[in-house]
């Protein structure tokens, strides 16, 4: 897409002038920047160069119009809120009246830029900046649909807010942007699924999630990606946490295609907390990179990162954990664990724990392991009458359970379990 086409499309969406100009600047920037540097991955060999065309979709009057894959993920009844993006457009939005009455906002990002301009302009692309690399600039220029979720100061939302991003057409623009702003002393749980409707859907998913957690707020973000083998997934997740706030990430990477994800928390305030849990399963000749990061600025801030990956057949995974403690961030505690199970002689796993410490008065640690299923655990189960295949299955599920059990919606949790079963060849 050239600049004139982008201006015309953005104007047709009735976006404010400042947003149009940001898009144009980002598109021009994309042509000058390098691809992101991903540890031990050469992105130039990945199918990441075609952003696709926008595909307009009609809004759904009810969920009865939704494909079965969507209906199977939705909690019934919808107690908090639900937003669904189909290809390039948001087609369904519902927010409970009680939450709307408390000032909670849930809408697509185009609408939010018009109706809540000051809020969106203040936060949009402040955590993931277009200047970072070519793909972040391309996303900043071409994003469509998206989610804007705002929780005012002091409001505690008990029922999860859910989003579903569904792609069923090859060659379309599939670049949703999620912007979550949680006010001081607020509480919110957000859950999303990113889904392909078929095995042969070929697109670049270039997605971004930005979370801004105010002082004393508690934000939980759960995300499960289950995209087709022909789809390339490049996802950036970023949170900024103020004093005594907390962000919990729960990530299920269940794609069948090439995947690179980077989930990072910036602990800006004193006493800020980050808890990051990631599970992933690789099959076929899938190549993946999963990076988790915590950057400590505030004193007495705490981060915990756990990544567990299972590689089958000829799949390859690069697991990167990065804890950065800045000068002055005294009394911090940063811990990380990366573990990879390889279930085939041709599978490959690489765990890279990294500690970057610029302050003396801190606690930090890491643990990493790459290997086969524990033979002693298998022997123990088999000695009690369990077959070898079932014993391996139980060990693998036990390995992944700490993350699966944390998914806050039963429908999504059940779907994730089914995906694990499928990728392990048991369905």
């Amino acid at each position: 897409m050239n600049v004139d086409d982008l201006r015309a499309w953005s104007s047709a969406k009735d976006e404010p002038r400042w947003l149009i100009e940001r898009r144009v600047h980002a598109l021009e920037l994309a042509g000058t920047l390098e691809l992101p540097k991903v540890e031990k991955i050469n992105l130039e060999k990945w199918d990441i160069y075609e952003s696709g065309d926008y595909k307009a979709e009609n809004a759904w009057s009810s969920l009865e119009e939704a494909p079965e894959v969507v209906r199977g993920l939705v909690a019934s009844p919808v107690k908090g809120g639900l937003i669904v993006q189909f290809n390039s457009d948001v087609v369904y939005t519902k927010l409970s009246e009680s939450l709307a009455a408390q000032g909670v906002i849930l809408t697509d990002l185009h609408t939010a830029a018009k109706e809540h301009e000051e809020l969106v302009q203040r936060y949009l692309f402040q955590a993931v900046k277009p200047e970072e690399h070519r793909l972040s600039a391309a996303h900043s220029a071409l994003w469509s649909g998206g989610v804007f979720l705002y929780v005012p100061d002091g409001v505690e939302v008990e029922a999860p807010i859910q989003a579903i991003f569904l792609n069923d057409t090859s060659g379309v623009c599939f670049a949703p942007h999620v912007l979550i702003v949680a006010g001081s002393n607020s509480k919110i749980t957000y859950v999303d699924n990113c889904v392909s409707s078929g095995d042969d859907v070929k697109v670049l998913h270039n997605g971004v999630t930005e979370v801004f957690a105010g002082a004393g707020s508690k934000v939980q973000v759960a995300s499960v990606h289950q995209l087709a083998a022909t789809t390339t997934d490049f996802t950036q997740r970023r949170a900024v946490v103020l004093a005594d706030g907390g962000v919990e990430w729960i990530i299920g990477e269940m794609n069948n295609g090439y995947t690179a994800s980077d989930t990072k928390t910036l602990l800006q305030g004193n006493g800020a907390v980050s808890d990051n849990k990631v599970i992933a399963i690789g099959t076929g000749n899938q190549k993946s990179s999963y990076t988790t990061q915590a950057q400590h600025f505030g004193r007495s801030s705490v981060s915990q990162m756990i990544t567990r990956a299972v590689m089958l057949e000829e799949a390859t995974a690069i697991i990167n954990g990065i804890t950065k403690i800045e000068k002055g961030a005294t009394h911090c505690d940063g811990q990380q664990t990366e573990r990879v199970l390889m279930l085939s002689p041709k599978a490959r796993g690489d765990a890279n724990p990294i500690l970057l410490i610029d302050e003396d008065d801190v606690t930090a640690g890491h643990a990493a392991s790459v290997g086969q299923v524990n033979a002693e655990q298998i022997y123990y189960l088999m000695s009690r009458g369990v077959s070898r295949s079932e014993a391996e299955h139980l060990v693998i599920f036990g390995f992944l359970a700490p993350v699966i059990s944390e998914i806050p919606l039963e429908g999504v949790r059940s779907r994730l379990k089914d995906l694990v079963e499928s990728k392990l060849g048991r369905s």
Side-chain angles (χ1 to χ4, degrees), residues 174-243:
F174 191 44
H177 188 100
V178 178
L179 178 58
I180 300 172
V181 180
S184 299
N185 300 308
S186 64
K187 179 181 178 182
I188 186 69
T189 293
Y190 165 87
V191 182
D192 70 31
N193 279 81
C194 194
V195 189
S196 297
S197 66
D199 294 335
D200 59 348
V201 178
K202 184 178 181 180
V203 299
L204 166 64
H205 172 261
N206 185 1
V208 169
T209 297
E210 295 184 292
V211 178
F212 296 89
S217 65
K218 304 300 177 188
V219 181
Q220 184 181 55
V221 178
S223 181
V224 179
H225 282 207
Q226 51 206 80
L227 296 169
T230 48
T231 290
T232 300
D233 185 0
F234 183 84
T235 297
Q236 298 175 90
R237 305 179 183 95
R238 197 79 50 86
V240 178
V241 188
L242 301 187

Side-chain angles (χ1 to χ4, degrees), residues 335-408:
Q335 304 294 328
Q336 57 171 284
T337 304
E338 294 85 40
R339 301 196 186 281
V340 185
L341 273 182
M342 296 183 296
L343 302 186
S344 163
K346 294 184 178 180
R348 294 290 180 269
D350 191 353
N352 304 296
I354 300 170
L355 300 178
L356 305 172
I357 313 297
D358 290 336
E359 177 59 57
D360 294 331
D361 190 10
V362 300
T363 302
H366 63 75
S369 66
V370 178
Q372 304 291 329
V373 174
N374 189 304
E376 291 184 0
Q377 292 176 330
I378 299 298
Y379 176 79
Y380 175 83
L381 291 169
M382 290 178 66
S383 71
R384 277 143 180 81
V386 179
S387 68
R388 173 172 288 277
S389 63
E390 185 63 23
E392 290 181 348
H393 176 259
L394 290 172
V395 170
I396 293 167
F397 249 96
F399 179 73
L400 300 176
V403 176
I404 295 176
S405 63
E406 295 293 326
I407 297 290

Side-chain angles (χ1 to χ4, degrees), residues 74-117:
V74 175
S76 182
V78 177
K79 295 181 180 180
L82 171 67
I83 188 165
V84 182
Q85 177 167 334
F86 186 28
N87 293 318
S88 304
D89 284 342
V90 168
V91 294
Y92 183 85
T93 306
K94 181 177 182 179
L95 179 67
S96 74
E97 293 181 1
S98 63
L99 292 180
Q102 294 179 76
V104 176
I105 300 169
L106 177 66
T107 186
D108 67 273
L109 200 48
H110 301 284
T111 299
K114 292 180 289 186
E115 298 182 358
H116 309 284
E117 186 171 355

Side-chain angles (χ1 to χ4, degrees), residues 264-372:
K264 181 177 182 179
T265 303
L266 291 87
L267 298 152
Q268 296 280 14
N270 298 337
V273 176
S274 171
D275 186 0
N276 194 328
K277 304 182 185 72
V278 180
I279 63 169
I281 298 181
T283 57
N285 63 352
Q286 187 177 355
K287 289 181 172 55
S288 304
S289 171
Y290 308 113
T291 299
T292 56
Q293 302 187 61
Q295 188 171 9
H296 294 252
F297 294 94
R299 297 185 301 276
S300 300
S301 52
V302 177
S303 66
Q304 173 73 41
M305 300 186 294
I306 298 173
T307 302
R308 300 192 175 192
V310 177
M311 295 294 107
L312 296 87
E313 300 164 345
E314 299 181 24
T316 299
I318 309 297
I319 312 296
N320 306 302
I322 304 170
T323 303
K324 178 73 166 68
I325 300 181
E326 302 291 348
K327 184 67 176 176
T330 56
H331 304 109
C332 289
D333 187 1
Q335 304 294 328
Q336 57 171 284
T337 304
E338 294 85 40
R339 301 196 186 281
V340 185
L341 273 182
M342 296 183 296
L343 302 186
S344 163
K346 294 184 178 180
R348 294 290 180 269
D350 191 353
N352 304 296
I354 300 170
L355 300 178
L356 305 172
I357 313 297
D358 290 336
E359 177 59 57
D360 294 331
D361 190 10
V362 300
T363 302
H366 63 75
S369 66
V370 178
Q372 304 291 329

